[in-house]
């Protein structure tokens, strides 16, 4: 099942279920990239708050959380089932913090995303879970706040985890160990991705004060590696996940962090070097469209004489994507295991 059909089927179950209940006064739609659920609630006269860590307007903590207290009390929270177990736990706490005592949680997703078993993962915050609807290989589960459940952890800082990462120190042998912050659901949570490690060993040459963009920075290992290689570099780190970006600010305080996806948040700006481990998944679906988008903007983002280096899995048709983007002087600078580091100088 494709990502789009998963999301359509899951959202359709919620919209249909809303027709069978009285509209809540307030509702929160959490982590759903589509608009159908929020629009159906609004059409029914409900005051709706929507938030996703990858929303274009998201920046740091969810907007209904202030310090340790939620700003809203909703009768319904509709939560799109996330991929990672730890991320689900965090989102359940955030959902519980936004619910009124009599409120109800609806959690929905595709069966092959774990929706069949999610009812058993809602304790201790939620109880009385049951399947409200099924269809299109998707499932909608409802649950109420547990009467004797723990107080929800809604402060973002309470979900920060710290790990020791060994970051390669350029092409030299060995690595430097750093204390690293992350949040559940961030890319490579608690570890250093193998592709990123390879690129860290093959960063482009950087002059003093070089302007460098880390495109899709995650929690910041490439940005940190750039600054370790050239401490005077002026690093911009672009990251679409607002929670990963929050950890990035802790890990690489010298970097300028921009929260957003694609080139639009950076329009009109140029860099002497771009480094990236570009994504190629939307949810469970693999797609080269995200790499194509990245490559398509390089001509406008690189200064004349600038360099881009990125790491991708060798099975992906990077050379073809680069040619389609009009890029020239594309070459492999490192090839190790399933990964290749590619370089291009722009158009």
């Amino acid at each position: 099942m494709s990502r789009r059909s998963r999301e359509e089927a899951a959202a359709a179950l919620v919209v249909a279920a809303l027709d069978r209940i009285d509209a809540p006064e307030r509702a929160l739609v959490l982590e759903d990239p589509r608009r159908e659920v929020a629009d159906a609630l609004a059409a029914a006269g409900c005051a709706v708050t929507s938030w996703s860590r990858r929303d274009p307007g998201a920046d740091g903590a969810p907007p209904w959380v202030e310090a340790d207290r939620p700003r809203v009390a909703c009768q319904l929270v509709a939560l799109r089932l996330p991929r990672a177990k730890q991320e689900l736990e965090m989102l359940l706490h955030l959902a519980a913090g936004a619910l009124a005592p009599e409120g109800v949680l609806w959690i929905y997703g595709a069966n092959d995303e774990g929706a069949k078993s999610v009812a058993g993962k809602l304790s201790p915050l939620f109880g009385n879970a049951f399947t409200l609807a099924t269809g299109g290989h998707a499932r909608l589960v409802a649950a109420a706040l547990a009467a004797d459940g723990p107080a929800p952890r809604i402060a973002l800082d309470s979900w920060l985890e710290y790990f020791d990462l060994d970051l390669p120190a350029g092409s030299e042998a060995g690595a430097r160990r750093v204390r690293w912050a992350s949040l559940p659901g961030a890319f490579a949570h608690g570890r250093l991705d193998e592709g990123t490690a390879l690129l860290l060993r093959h960063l482009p040459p950087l002059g003093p004060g070089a302007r460098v963009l880390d495109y899709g920075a995650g929690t910041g290992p490439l940005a940190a590696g750039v600054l370790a290689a050239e401490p005077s570099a002026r690093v911009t780190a672009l990251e679409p996940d607002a929670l990963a970006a929050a950890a990035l600010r802790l890990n690489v305080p010298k970097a300028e962090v921009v929260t957003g996806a694609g080139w639009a948040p950076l329009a009109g700006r140029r860099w002497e070097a771009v480094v990236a481990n570009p994504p190629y998944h939307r949810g469970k679906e693999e797609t080269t469209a995200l790499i194509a988008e990245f490559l398509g903007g390089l001509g406008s983002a690189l200064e004349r004489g600038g360099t881009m280096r990125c790491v991708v899995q060798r099975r992906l048709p990077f050379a073809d994507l680069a040619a389609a983007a009009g890029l020239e002087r594309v070459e492999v600078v490192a090839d190790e295991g399933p990964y290749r580091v590619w370089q291009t100088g722009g158009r």
Side-chain angles (χ1 to χ4, degrees), residues 48-73:
V48 186
T49 300
S50 295
W51 186 84
S52 168
R53 62 195 295 166
R54 294 171 181 83
D55 278 344
D59 190 10
W64 70 93
V65 173
E66 182 175 16
D68 293 327
R69 295 188 299 173
R71 296 179 184 175
V72 297

Side-chain angles (χ1 to χ4, degrees), residues 320-343:
D320 293 339
L321 294 169
L327 300 176
E328 301 174 352
R329 304 189 307 280
V330 178
E331 60 181 331
V332 175
V333 296
D335 192 338
E336 184 177 304
Y339 297 100
R340 283 176 175 164
V341 175
W342 292 83
Q343 174 174 291

